[in-house]
Amino acid sequence: MRQKYILVTGSSRGIGKAIALKFASKGFHVFLNCRRSLTQLSQVRDTILAMNPGGCTLVPGDAGNPEDVRRIFDTAHSLCPALDVLINNAGISHTGLLIDMTDAQWESLLAANLSSAFYCSREALRHMVPEKSGRIINISSMWGTCGASCEAAYSAVKSGMNGLTRALAKEYAPSHIAVNAIACGVIDTVMNEHLSPDEQASLAYEIPAGRFGTPEEVAELAWKIAGSPVYMTGQVIGIDGGYI
């Protein structure tokens, strides 16, 4: 069987790490990426190498910077003709009133969450198209669907990711490339560490499932989407415990 390859941006922890480990366990060679948490990224690499199915390669860099993205993909494509799967997971959150948000905070949020998906998809597609094959999965948020008070900017960039998903799906369906998104609800990651125990309990109470989701549940969904028929494309699939 031909070796398969996946790149997961923001894979040093949380959802990205869980997805990287899931695909590694299935024999994929995983390209691991993050911008800053290189020690944690190396630990993910060591875990994957201990599995010893398909191996992995570190490709650190800022997915929101086009020059870094070109270097990341140069490395990846020196080892494979094209990615089989790209997971656009890199991102940061921001909570606060819109009028209090600085220009720099907005630019940082936009680059990390939306520009990163644009740049990485552009580079991946250059090689997927000649192969007439590939899957792109964007890790979005339920707030990109319905919006959230005090998270207007975050909701806007995730809505943009959903729009990018649907447009790319139409653009590249003739090349047999599927593009979908996962709209995550409240997932138990470091993004929610700023919440107090009482705030976490109150939020969990609002979720019909009665709890936060886990990164492993998102990873399982990503695995199933990657293996789904190519005819399933342009979809924004929610995993939110029934919240919306």
Side-chain angles (χ1 to χ4, degrees):
M1 181 181 292
R2 180 182 69 83
Q3 177 66 61
K4 292 188 176 183
Y5 297 85
I6 181 173
L7 169 62
V8 185
T9 64
S11 49
S12 64
R13 61 189 184 183
I15 291 171
K17 175 183 176 180
I19 292 174
L21 294 177
K22 179 69 177 183
F23 279 77
S25 73
K26 300 295 185 178
F28 274 70
H29 184 98
V30 185
F31 293 102
L32 297 168
N33 161 265
C34 75
R35 180 176 59 170
R36 293 176 180 163
S37 305
L38 298 183
T39 298
Q40 290 174 290
L41 196 69
S42 296
Q43 291 170 349
V44 178
R45 176 195 58 193
D46 293 343
T47 300
I48 290 174
L49 292 179
M51 296 178 185
N52 199 31
C56 65
T57 302
L58 297 185
V59 283
D62 182 357
N65 180 307
E67 292 302 322
D68 278 13
V69 170
R70 277 188 274 271
R71 286 192 291 270
I72 289 165
F73 278 83
D74 283 347
T75 299
H77 290 137
S78 71
L79 298 174
C80 67
L83 294 175
D84 294 282
V85 182
L86 167 65
I87 306 286
N88 285 314
N89 170 71
I92 57 176
S93 63
H94 179 88
T95 303
L97 295 174
L98 183 69
I99 58 174
D100 293 332
M101 191 174 191
T102 67
D103 294 346
Q105 287 173 322
W106 166 249
E107 292 295 336
S108 178
L109 192 75
L110 182 63
N113 289 277
L114 184 55
S115 295
S116 61
F118 173 88
Y119 295 139
C120 289
S121 296
R122 183 174 63 180
E123 292 302 315
L125 286 163
R126 294 187 201 280
H127 291 257
M128 286 179 174
V129 169
E131 297 291 322
K132 301 293 184 184
S133 178
R135 299 287 194 278
I136 296 175
I137 302 173
N138 296 321
I139 305 302
S140 187
S141 168
M142 63 181 180
W143 299 140
T145 302
C146 65
S149 175
C150 293
E151 293 191 66
Y154 182 76
S155 299
V157 295
K158 289 303 186 181
S159 180
M161 177 176 271
N162 293 348
L164 178 66
T165 298
R166 295 184 176 106
L168 288 181
K170 293 180 178 179
E171 192 167 318
Y172 291 96
S175 296
H176 309 289
I177 297 165
V179 186
N180 294 288
I182 297 175
C184 296
V186 184
I187 308 299
D188 189 11
T189 69
V190 294
M191 276 193 177
N192 295 306
E193 283 185 347
H194 66 283
L195 298 172
S196 70
D198 285 346
E199 288 172 328
Q200 291 190 29
S202 177
L203 183 54
Y205 181 77
E206 296 177 17
I207 301 168
R211 64 174 177 85
F212 292 3
T214 68
E216 290 73 23
E217 287 173 313
V218 181
E220 180 66 24
L221 179 57
W223 171 252
K224 290 178 178 177
I225 293 172
S228 65
V230 71
Y231 199 68
M232 192 189 84
T233 191
Q235 304 305 302
V236 178
I237 301 162
I239 180 169
D240 59 24
Y243 196 94
I244 63 169

